[in-house]
């Protein structure tokens, strides 16, 4: 994550932005008066704290409790080196690179600067969502629902060389998208309350920010306490953006990346985050190197803190469920570790709604993108195959590529209704998928027996075969 340039100073002061946020919350009436009053008090308290000299902590005992919980969830027992990594990384633009020459692609002016190694997942998510707004958003400051038609299908490369104000707006709206997605994304976790539909913006007060930028950062407990004490709630995308805009300078401060991670966690709810993870007691940061666990990156990309990248869920029995990606996310993820067969990335992350991907290597994250939304769209035949594979994976809990023959009947019953009436009877199908009576059904055998019988598959398979045949084969050189 390199490139870009310094974010310009906001036109309005933080005091004016906070007043605007308070006014916005008073205009948007809620049917629940108690909630309205609570939001007014929270925003008014934040406004009063901003105006007061010294920037005291908000919330007293509640802030102390949140501080202890955030320290346990994020850091656990960590080293001073890791603490310093996270207290020395803001979210800000890097210096813009010089143009390389005529005819080349425009210089990217909206890249985020990375100073420390640990917070790279936060920067990768922020960069991806900011790029999505920069390239495909025809209406800055407007909330976009997932799958809405208001996103552009084609983007101009000239947007990569955006002026400072446009880049700053794209970053602000992208960060708002991350927070609001965490506030409303459905969860498959059981036994805990669902998402509240309330975002939390927790960024350190001015005094703590200045200390974080000093040569000796404050103790970790003090820094997280300042972040928790500055937390304020918002009940809409617009209010969330207003609060972030009012605290834009704090994002650029030394604890900006940590404050944003805390904001996402508090928005989702620490109890729900713990329930969505496989191991809710393990800290989210590696204690030695300080990088984020997969759950933290998944939370920022998809809104849910899941550890697995495959589509849907896999029930291993005994009440143990592995949770993956429930819906198509705004931006995707690709992993080098999939080629090494350490992880499985599902089609939802490979085919996000916008053609932007976080690419995970063993040591770093990069961003891959296209300027055409069609680059992320699967073909009609691929979509049929992916849907079939998702149904098969629900019964293949271990991801081994086969299921027992006993799973065949419920597997067939789970297929989309288009397969009803086109598949042979159970005994005939069983002989097709298990001709040697090995009592297992492999994915390849199941696909061969079912996909061609889909009502749309015949024409799609014929078209794919014709397209492949039309590709000219390379010819050998006569002198070779």
């Amino acid at each position: 994550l390199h490139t870009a340039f310094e974010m310009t100073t906001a036109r309005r002061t933080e005091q004016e932005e906070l007043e605007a946020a308070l006014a916005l919350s008073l205009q948007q009436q809620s049917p629940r008066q108690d909630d309205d009053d609570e939001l007014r008090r929270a925003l008014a308290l934040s406004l009063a704290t901003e105006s007061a000299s010294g920037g005291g902590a908000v919330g007293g005992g509640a802030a102390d409790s949140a501080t202890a919980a955030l320290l346990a969830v994020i850091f656990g027992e960590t080293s001073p080196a890791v603490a310093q990594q996270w207290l020395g990384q803001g979210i800000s633009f890097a210096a813009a690179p010089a143009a390389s020459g005529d005819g080349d692609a425009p210089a990217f002016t909206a890249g985020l600067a990375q100073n420390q190694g640990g917070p790279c997942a936060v920067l990768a998510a922020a960069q991806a969502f900011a790029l999505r707004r920069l390239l495909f958003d025809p209406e800055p400051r407007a909330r976009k629902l997932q799958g809405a038609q208001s996103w552009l299908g084609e983007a101009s490369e000239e947007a990569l060389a955006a002026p400072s104000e446009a880049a700053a707006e794209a970053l602000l709206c992208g960060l708002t998208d991350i927070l609001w997605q965490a506030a409303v994304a459905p969860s498959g976790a059981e036994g805990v309350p669902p998402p509240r539909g309330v975002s939390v913006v927790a960024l350190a007060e001015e005094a703590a920010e200045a200390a974080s930028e000093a040569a000796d950062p404050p103790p970790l407990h003090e820094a997280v306490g300042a972040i928790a004490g500055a937390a304020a709630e918002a009940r809409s995308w617009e209010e969330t953006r207003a609060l972030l805009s009012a605290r834009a300078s704090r994002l650029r401060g030394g604890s900006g990346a940590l404050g944003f991670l805390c904001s996402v966690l508090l928005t989702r709810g620490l109890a729900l985050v713990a329930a969505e993870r496989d191991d809710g007691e393990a800290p989210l940061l590696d204690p030695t190197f300080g990088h984020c666990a997969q759950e933290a990156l998944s939370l920022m990309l998809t809104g849910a803190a899941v550890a697995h990248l495959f589509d849907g869920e896999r029930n291993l029995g005994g009440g143990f469920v592995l949770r993956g990606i429930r819906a198509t996310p705004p931006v995707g993820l690709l992993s080098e570790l999939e080629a090494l067969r350490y992880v499985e990335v599902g089609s939802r992350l490979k085919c996000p709604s916008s053609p932007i991907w976080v690419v995970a290597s063993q040591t770093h994250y990069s961003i891959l993108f296209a300027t055409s939304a069609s680059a992320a769209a699967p073909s009609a035949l691929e979509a049929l195959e992916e849907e079939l594979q998702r149904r098969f994976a629900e019964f293949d809990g271990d991801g081994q590529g086969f299921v027992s023959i006993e799973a065949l009947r419920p597997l067939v019953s789970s297929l989309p209704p288009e397969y009803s009436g086109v598949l042979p009877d159970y005994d005939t199908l069983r002989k097709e998928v298990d001709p040697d009576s090995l009592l297992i059904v492999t994915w390849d055998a199941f696909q061969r027996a079912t996909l061609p019988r889909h009502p749309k598959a015949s024409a799609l398979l014929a078209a794919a075969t014709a397209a492949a045949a039309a590709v000219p084969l390379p010819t050998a050189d006569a002198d070779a």
Side-chain angles (χ1 to χ4, degrees), residues 135-136 152-155 330 332 334 347-357 368-379 382 386:
L135 290 175
F136 299 102
L152 294 175
E154 300 288 334
L334 305 172
S347 61
R348 288 170 179 158
L349 283 173
K350 291 178 179 177
C351 301
S353 60
S354 296
I356 302 171
W357 296 265
L368 175 69
F369 68 94
T371 56
S372 174
S374 62
S379 68
E382 289 171 339
E386 288 165 2

Side-chain angles (χ1 to χ4, degrees), residues 152-249:
L152 294 175
E154 300 288 334
S156 169
E157 287 188 4
E158 299 303 320
L160 299 174
S164 59
E165 289 186 0
E169 184 64 33
L171 177 61
L172 189 65
C173 290
L175 295 177
T176 304
D177 291 339
I178 293 174
L179 284 176
W180 195 245
Q181 178 177 242
V184 300
S187 176
E190 299 178 354
V192 291
R196 299 183 303 146
V198 175
S199 67
V200 177
V201 177
L203 296 167
E205 298 287 347
E206 295 292 345
E209 179 189 329
S212 296
E213 293 173 341
D216 297 320
L220 187 59
H221 186 280
E222 179 182 333
V224 176
I227 290 170
E233 290 188 344
R235 297 181 181 273
S236 71
W237 187 96
E238 293 79 8
E239 288 178 14
T240 304
R241 188 205 163 278
L243 286 175
L244 278 174
S245 179
R247 292 155 172 78
S249 64

Side-chain angles (χ1 to χ4, degrees), residues 121 124-125 128 297 301 331-335 356-360 365-368:
L297 181 58
L301 296 184
V331 301
L333 183 141
L334 305 172
S335 177
I356 302 171
W357 296 265
V358 174
V359 182
Y365 292 110
S366 302
I367 302 298
L368 175 69

